[in-house]
Amino acid sequence: MGKPRIMDKLKITGGKELNGEVIISGAKNAALPILAGSILSSAPVTLNNIPQLNDVATMLTLLQSMGAEVIFDEKMDLRLNAKEIEKYFAPYDLVKTMRASILVLGPLLSRFGRAEVSLPGGCAIGARPVNLHVKGLRAMGAKISIKNGYIYATAKKLQGTNYRFDEVSVTGTENIMMAAVLAKGKTVITNAAMEPEVKDLAQFLKSMGANIEGEGTSQIVVDGVDRLRETNYRIMPDRIESGTYLIAAAITGGKILLKKTAPQYLKTVISKLQLSGANIKCGDDWISLDMHNKKLKAVDFETSPYPGFPTDMQAQFCALNSISSGSARMKETIFENRFQHVIELHRMGADIEIKGNIATSKGVRRLTAAPVMATDLRASAGLIIAALAAHGDTIIDRIYHIDRGYERIEEKLQQLGAHISRETS
């Protein structure tokens, strides 16, 4: 996991059917909070199925800067020991590259009684306020001030509380849940995020001896414990990576099999793909998709918190709808600036109109190659999907975004028959 090469580009020659098998990696959005949660224990933690991603590398660098010991073994399992943490500081130069760094706030405060964490700064896809985190920790007795771009937090001992989120927040739920693990007494979190990654974090914490109930529902109850024990835990499969490959196969008229995935967390995406004409079958840990030479049909959708249609799949489905028969209405309810990929799709010949938080597509016969630029992680995936179906050679610039969330994406696509290569300027 090296540093991202900022000037890298992807070159994709479109029009090739994707066929074959792909193994799904561990979930980025589960790995990051679980890594932050390892701070809560002075005992060693072993994690399997860690994805090799730039965001994961950033979180590991942050943990090492605090004094944690990080070792990958020969199986690429991660052995992490936070016993000797001596700094409670998350600097801006690390936090600015990855907003999930805010997740160390709750664990540091809960175990050590103090934390100094940089505010994350701007985000290309819209506001992600930290006030939800701060308000919850204050309800648990923390003294928090924000100055010079940093959150300064102290607490002799966090106290259990009843806390209701004003709006659903995945990282907010994770931070308060982690803070509650070592707090005194019972914490009841209502209007909690129900995402599978929140559930995975809870199950990781429970494997260390945390007392948590209700994960995966809108109410999570945490009874504080004195200490956590050693654990060996496997990160869940990445549902967004799974959905991305399914859409990539669908747009190219292909036939693929996903292995080591979790179909139960992809029900809304699978149902929309079936409506678009895909033949999909599922097993315990696999999903197959076959287009059977069917013509794609445009499908309406609206993003919403889990179990609804994920905002992280919006750009990919937008690309699919751009060449599907008919028109589709796509409503984004989570982030206010998450249609930036549409401007780039216009360059490839897509007919999509944006009004506020609604994009309406009219399917075109085909897309044509053009130089385009990625604006964020999921927009990158949407542009790759469009390029796989486009006529000619598409060059996608600023692809360092893609390395934050997709492990070896060009290698996996090459295995499926895509003509894709990375070019370094």
Side-chain angles (χ1 to χ4, degrees):
M1 286 187 287
K3 288 186 177 179
R5 299 193 297 271
I6 300 297
M7 302 306 290
D8 280 10
K9 297 176 173 63
L10 281 179
K11 180 182 177 182
I12 299 172
T13 305
K16 311 294 179 187
E17 272 188 22
L18 295 193
N19 291 295
E21 300 177 352
V22 62
I23 294 173
I24 296 303
S25 301
K28 172 183 94 97
N29 290 338
L32 296 175
I34 285 172
L35 287 171
S38 67
I39 292 171
L40 288 163
S41 178
S42 59
V45 167
T46 302
L47 297 173
N48 327 116
N49 206 31
I50 281 273
Q52 306 293 301
L53 301 169
N54 287 332
D55 273 10
V56 169
T58 300
M59 183 64 86
L60 292 176
T61 300
L62 176 57
L63 296 180
Q64 285 176 308
S65 76
M66 295 175 180
E69 182 183 70
V70 172
I71 300 169
F72 278 97
D73 67 16
E74 66 281 357
K75 297 177 186 173
M76 289 310 289
D77 289 340
L78 173 63
R79 294 177 57 80
L80 200 149
N81 193 332
K83 183 179 181 181
E84 304 296 334
I85 279 187
E86 52 197 24
K87 294 179 182 174
Y88 318 114
F89 176 61
Y92 175 67
D93 63 341
L94 284 174
V95 175
K96 71 179 179 183
T97 64
M98 184 190 62
R99 297 187 59 89
S101 307
I102 192 75
L103 288 166
V104 301
L105 180 61
L108 285 174
L109 199 52
S110 193
R111 182 174 162 204
F112 300 105
R114 53 190 284 213
E116 187 179 329
V117 179
S118 169
L119 290 167
C123 176
I125 58 175
R128 303 196 197 185
V130 298
N131 60 309
L132 299 169
H133 305 242
V134 170
K135 193 175 173 184
L137 292 169
R138 280 180 174 151
M140 299 177 76
K143 293 180 179 175
I144 299 176
S145 61
I146 299 174
K147 56 187 177 184
N148 304 324
Y150 278 83
I151 302 168
Y152 296 87
T154 58
K156 281 187 178 177
K157 178 76 173 176
L158 290 177
Q159 304 293 314
T161 189
N162 289 350
Y163 183 70
R164 178 179 175 81
F165 277 97
D166 295 333
E167 58 188 271
V168 176
S169 166
V170 173
T171 53
T173 300
E174 290 166 343
N175 236 337
I176 303 308
M177 182 170 68
M178 289 190 283
V181 163
L182 297 178
K184 184 179 180 182
K186 180 183 288 189
T187 299
V188 180
I189 305 167
T190 52
N191 200 26
M194 297 190 286
E195 268 68 5
E197 295 80 10
V198 175
K199 187 175 179 180
D200 207 37
L201 170 63
Q203 289 174 341
F204 161 72
L205 296 170
K206 287 164 80 166
S207 76
M208 294 195 290
N211 191 339
I212 302 171
E213 294 177 355
E215 68 273 17
T217 75
S218 62
Q219 179 169 294
I220 299 172
V221 180
V222 186
D223 265 312
V225 297
D226 291 332
R227 66 181 61 84
L228 298 174
R229 59 176 178 261
E230 187 173 345
T231 190
N232 187 321
Y233 191 80
R234 183 173 180 83
I235 307 282
M236 67 175 281
D238 197 314
R239 63 193 172 102
I240 305 302
E241 185 194 28
S242 300
T244 300
Y245 283 110
L246 290 174
I247 291 177
I251 202 170
T252 63
K255 179 181 177 181
I256 67 166
L257 174 67
L258 306 187
K259 291 182 168 180
K260 296 187 178 178
T261 185
Q264 68 270 32
Y265 298 136
L266 275 163
K267 288 177 181 176
T268 54
V269 174
I270 288 171
S271 68
K272 294 294 183 186
L273 278 168
Q274 287 171 327
L275 287 172
S276 77
N279 186 325
I280 297 178
K281 295 177 183 174
C282 301
D284 288 343
D285 63 351
W286 59 267
I287 306 170
S288 69
L289 177 144
D290 189 345
M291 283 308 298
H292 286 309
N293 296 316
K294 286 185 183 175
K295 186 164 177 58
L296 287 164
K297 289 178 282 194
V299 176
D300 296 340
F301 65 85
E302 177 177 326
T303 65
S304 60
Y306 189 85
F309 190 90
T311 181
D312 281 352
M313 289 302 306
Q314 180 256 105
Q316 299 91 312
F317 222 98
C318 188
L320 186 73
N321 273 338
S322 72
I323 63 163
S324 297
S325 174
S327 62
R329 183 177 181 272
M330 301 170 283
K331 186 175 183 181
E332 173 59 60
T333 70
I334 309 295
F335 294 118
E336 65 268 27
N337 297 327
R338 211 166 199 180
F339 281 131
Q340 294 177 64
H341 50 278
V342 171
I343 311 303
E344 302 301 303
L345 290 174
H346 286 164
R347 294 169 54 78
M348 301 175 75
D351 183 357
I352 304 171
E353 182 183 10
I354 303 172
K355 284 187 179 176
N357 67 337
I358 296 171
T360 305
S361 65
K362 292 178 182 173
V364 296
R365 196 166 62 84
R366 72 175 183 185
L367 299 173
T368 52
V372 292
M373 184 173 71
T375 51
D376 62 73
L377 169 55
R378 305 307 174 184
S380 307
L383 293 177
I384 287 172
I385 284 167
L388 289 168
H391 179 71
D393 296 339
T394 298
I395 304 292
I396 304 176
D397 206 349
R398 292 180 66 186
I399 59 138
Y400 58 89
H401 291 292
I402 205 79
D403 296 325
R404 290 184 42 232
Y406 291 88
E407 186 174 49
R408 306 190 321 275
I409 189 164
E410 69 267 32
E411 203 177 297
K412 290 186 179 185
L413 287 171
Q414 284 165 0
Q415 289 170 4
L416 295 170
H419 285 197
I420 178 172
S421 59
R422 186 175 292 238
E423 299 185 345
T424 304
S425 299

